[in-house]
């Protein structure tokens, strides 16, 4: 597992919000909802210089919407969506989150047990988790990553 580091300035995600209180499989239901209505937010998506969408995000937060880690890593909020322009407004039925600037470590999700392995890496290296972990899918490659905030900027 290759762990890399980056800084990501504050960014906007517009998506479908749910919580662990919604029951088993809620994340899959959020993605199904977001994907089946994607045309409603497509024009708001941030694009690179060649016109490609820059990111698909599964953003997580504690129940206070303060982007703290999930309670016991098992209870919190999830937003399944797309990175959008800063001035974008969420259409009816969608939710806009503004994710703060962080320094992250991140890794490609090549295996199912990435989360516990990176949490152990953080513990072994005395690196505190500074916020909730986020899922990222690169639209150009289809590869999935997990972003672990280690310092709020």
């Amino acid at each position: 597992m290759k762990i890399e580091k980056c800084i990501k300035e504050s960014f906007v995600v517009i998506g479908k919000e749910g919580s662990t209180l919604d029951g088993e499989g809620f994340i899959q239901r959020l993605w199904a909802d977001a994907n089946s209505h994607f045309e409603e937010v497509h024009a708001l998506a941030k694009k690179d210089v060649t016109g490609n969408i820059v990111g698909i995000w599964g953003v997580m937060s504690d129940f206070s919407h303060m982007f703290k880690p999930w309670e016991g890593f098992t209870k919190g909020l999830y937003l399944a969506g797309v990175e959008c322009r800063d001035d974008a407004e969420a259409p009816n039925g969608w939710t806009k989150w503004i994710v703060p600037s962080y320094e992250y470590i991140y890794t490609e999700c090549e295996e199912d047990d990435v989360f516990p392995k990176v949490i152990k890496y953080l513990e072994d290296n005395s690196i505190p988790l500074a916020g909730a972990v986020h899922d990222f899918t690169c639209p150009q490659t289809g590869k999935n990553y997990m972003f672990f905030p280690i310092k709020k900027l």
Side-chain angles (χ1 to χ4, degrees):
M1 175 173 65
K2 182 178 176 187
I3 293 178
E4 299 184 65
K5 193 181 279 190
C6 72
I7 290 176
K8 180 141 177 73
E9 297 298 327
S10 178
F11 63 102
V12 168
V13 175
I14 293 178
K16 298 292 186 166
E17 181 180 314
S19 93
T20 52
L21 302 176
D22 298 332
E24 188 77 26
F26 85 96
I27 292 175
Q28 293 79 3
R29 290 190 300 276
L30 290 174
W31 280 115
D33 188 14
N35 290 334
S36 66
H37 296 97
F38 186 71
E39 72 282 353
E40 297 172 13
V41 294
H42 184 270
L44 304 173
K46 188 182 275 186
K47 301 193 174 69
D48 64 17
V49 292
T50 58
N52 296 311
I53 291 172
V54 298
I56 304 296
W57 290 90
V59 183
M60 294 178 233
S61 176
D62 63 322
F63 287 113
S64 73
H65 287 94
M66 297 299 295
F67 299 99
K68 294 177 184 165
W70 278 12
E71 181 184 320
F73 298 128
T74 61
K75 296 177 186 167
L77 303 172
Y78 191 95
L79 186 73
V82 61
E83 187 168 342
C84 292
R85 299 184 320 267
D86 292 348
D87 64 347
E89 293 301 323
N92 203 15
W94 293 80
T95 301
K96 177 178 177 177
W97 284 7
I98 302 172
V99 182
S101 302
Y102 284 103
E103 180 177 348
Y104 292 93
I105 62 165
Y106 67 97
T107 189
E108 185 178 346
C109 297
E110 298 174 302
E111 307 161 17
D112 289 339
D113 60 349
V114 167
F115 184 82
K117 283 184 175 177
V118 176
I119 292 297
K120 180 161 180 17
Y121 169 86
L122 293 172
E123 290 170 356
D124 290 350
N125 290 280
S126 301
I127 302 170
L129 189 61
V133 178
H134 307 310
D135 298 322
F136 172 77
T137 300
C138 176
Q140 287 70 46
T141 65
K143 291 182 179 181
N144 297 311
Y145 299 83
M146 291 189 93
F147 278 68
F148 294 77
I150 58 171
K151 182 179 181 186
K152 191 169 184 178
L153 304 175

